[in-house]
Amino acid sequence: MHGELLALRAGHVFDGVRARRSGTVLVEDGVILDVDFTGARPPAHAEVTDFGPDAWLLPGLIDAHVHLCWDGSADAVAHVTSGDRAAVLATARDAAAATLRAGVTTVRDLGDRDYLTLALRDGVPAGERPEIVAAGPPITTPSGHCHFLGGVAQGAGALRAAVRERAERGCEVVKVMASGGRMTPGSDPARAQYRRADLRLVVDEAHRLGLSAAAHAHALGAVVDAVNAGFDSVEHFSCRTPQGSVVRRDLLDEVVRRGTFVSLTLAVRPGGALPPGVAAGHASLLDLMTEVVASGARVVAGTDSGIAPQKDHGVYPYALRQLTELGMSPLDALRAATTGAAEAVGRAGRKGVLRPGADADLLALDASPVDDIAAVTGIRAVYRAGRRVR
Ligand SMILES: [Zn+2]
């Protein structure tokens, strides 16, 4: 028994790799059946939606770094730590819905409390949330960055046990706080939290269990250690020193050689101020990120959405403009947000691409994102698993 057949047409299609003209995407049972560029008439029984000659179809966007349990208020830490389970889960549910409406159909959640994003993933229908790749509570040192989320582990035995627990719970990625962070009083973004040997142990254990590994790293020493420990992605990649963010050529060469994903946390609402603590040293950080983009490293965008009001849920499309400001072409920014990010979050071939067999998560835009990347904020329609959700 097959469901209905949808035929989505537009004057332009970005398929995750290339921009093409006049495409029809056929969708059945939540999956893309075919993508046609010949102009052939869709099967007679298909329900046709034609978005018109100026519209664009593209894969749903992928945010590589979110925090669905955080409410995006000025007091987000207090909410996530002191709210009861039901309250935090309700927050996560709203966050997921807002994210989906913004055209983000897959997220990688890199820090929750009590594995609540897994409860969201397993308990809420696909049409009401993006696809979720979850890390659970980030692994951190006693009183280290985000220790209040409950993921404290120190020493080889505890670190291995922490990775195993996440695998058993159903996480697909392990997140480690390799340096301090801004949200945690007493933790220092400019200092590493773990020894390189500990980081390597976590990566090895994660890979052995089939999970990927992501490291939060602001301090230069922590970034270097995380890259050399073999993390699949390094978050923030701020390369901070007391003199600000610095560009180390040998480090960028190593990142390119290893194929490490650099997950830059971007996106602020227009008119929104930078989070406190980021503004200082921001010029050197922008210089660094520009060099990272130019280096040929595999750059993807995350948002850290949820941590502050200017980084509310659904802010991701603004990250694409920032990627172009860092020197990416609009087409490369679109690739980073789709096929590139799909690979970074472990969904290559299924997400971020319009081709037969891929999940039917897609967007229709009013105007060309290749001419002006800001068009990604002009969303006409969002489809998730073949159903229109906006
Ligand atoms: Zn984060």
Side-chain angles (χ1 to χ4, degrees):
M1 174 73 195
H2 289 287
E4 58 182 349
L5 180 67
L6 302 180
L8 311 177
R9 316 183 74 162
H12 305 265
V13 172
F14 169 70
D15 65 4
V17 181
R18 291 197 290 156
R20 307 183 65 171
R21 297 188 73 89
S22 295
T24 302
V25 180
L26 289 178
V27 173
E28 190 178 54
D29 295 330
V31 174
I32 296 174
L33 207 58
D34 193 20
V35 186
D36 177 83
F37 296 103
T38 67
R41 213 176 258 284
H45 66 287
E47 185 191 308
V48 179
T49 303
D50 193 339
F51 291 100
D54 297 329
W56 282 67
L57 290 174
L58 63 157
L61 306 175
I62 300 170
D63 188 336
H65 188 141
V66 302
H67 298 283
L68 293 172
C69 287
W70 298 52
D71 70 355
S73 72
D75 237 351
V77 172
H79 174 78
V80 72
T81 53
S82 64
D84 65 18
R85 264 185 77 95
V88 175
L89 192 55
T91 293
R93 195 175 178 139
D94 290 347
T99 302
L100 187 58
R101 278 197 303 277
V104 176
T105 53
T106 300
V107 297
R108 185 173 59 160
D109 190 286
L110 290 182
D112 70 6
R113 193 195 101 194
D114 295 338
Y115 298 93
L116 286 172
T117 46
L118 298 181
L120 181 72
R121 179 192 72 186
D122 299 338
V124 173
E128 297 171 28
R129 57 168 176 82
E131 172 104 347
I132 297 170
V133 177
I139 296 173
T140 193
T141 52
S143 71
H145 182 41
C146 287
H147 63 88
F148 44 76
L149 295 174
V152 170
Q154 181 92 289
L159 286 167
R160 271 197 205 93
V163 176
R164 269 199 306 278
E165 176 179 323
R166 283 154 182 75
E168 282 161 12
R169 293 269 195 163
C171 298
E172 296 179 78
V173 53
V174 168
K175 162 89 173 293
V176 183
M177 299 304 201
S179 79
R182 284 177 292 103
M183 314 283 298
T184 309
S187 107
D188 184 354
R191 294 182 76 111
Q193 294 200 146
Y194 285 107
R195 296 176 310 134
R196 189 184 291 184
D198 288 333
L199 296 178
R200 187 164 287 148
L201 177 156
V202 169
V203 171
D204 290 348
E205 190 69 2
H207 287 171
R208 196 177 69 77
L209 296 169
L211 278 64
S212 65
H216 154 108
H218 288 302
L220 175 62
V223 173
V224 170
D225 283 352
V227 169
N228 286 296
F231 276 90
D232 303 287
S233 76
V234 177
E235 309 302 307
H236 313 300
F237 203 89
S238 315
C239 299
R240 274 183 66 161
T241 71
Q243 287 74 45
S245 295
V246 298
V247 177
R248 277 252 314 256
R249 292 286 157 201
D250 58 330
L251 174 63
L252 294 183
D253 289 347
E254 187 63 12
V255 164
V256 171
R257 191 186 73 74
R258 287 175 172 270
T260 311
F261 283 99
V262 178
S263 177
L264 300 176
T265 38
L266 305 170
V268 177
R269 288 264 169 210
L274 290 166
V278 172
H282 195 59
S284 65
L285 181 60
L286 285 178
D287 289 345
L288 166 70
M289 292 196 293
T290 303
E291 292 294 333
V292 172
V293 166
S295 73
R298 301 160 97 187
V299 171
V300 296
T303 53
D304 240 344
S305 61
I307 66 162
Q310 57 277 37
K311 286 187 163 293
D312 59 337
H313 296 286
V315 76
Y316 182 82
Y318 296 100
L320 273 72
R321 172 182 286 199
Q322 250 183 304
L323 285 177
T324 64
E325 288 167 358
L326 295 171
M328 267 192 202
S329 69
L331 209 48
D332 279 341
L334 290 167
R335 289 180 184 124
T338 55
T339 35
E343 209 173 322
V345 309
R347 289 291 185 277
R350 257 189 65 202
K351 303 290 185 186
V353 68
L354 301 184
R355 76 157 79 110
D359 291 350
D361 292 353
L362 52 130
L363 315 180
L365 305 180
D366 283 323
S368 168
V370 175
D371 291 343
D372 181 358
I373 195 70
V376 294
T377 59
I379 291 175
R380 270 272 282 292
V382 178
Y383 291 82
R384 167 85 167 103
R387 279 188 44 226
R388 190 165 179 169
V389 296
R390 171 175 166 177

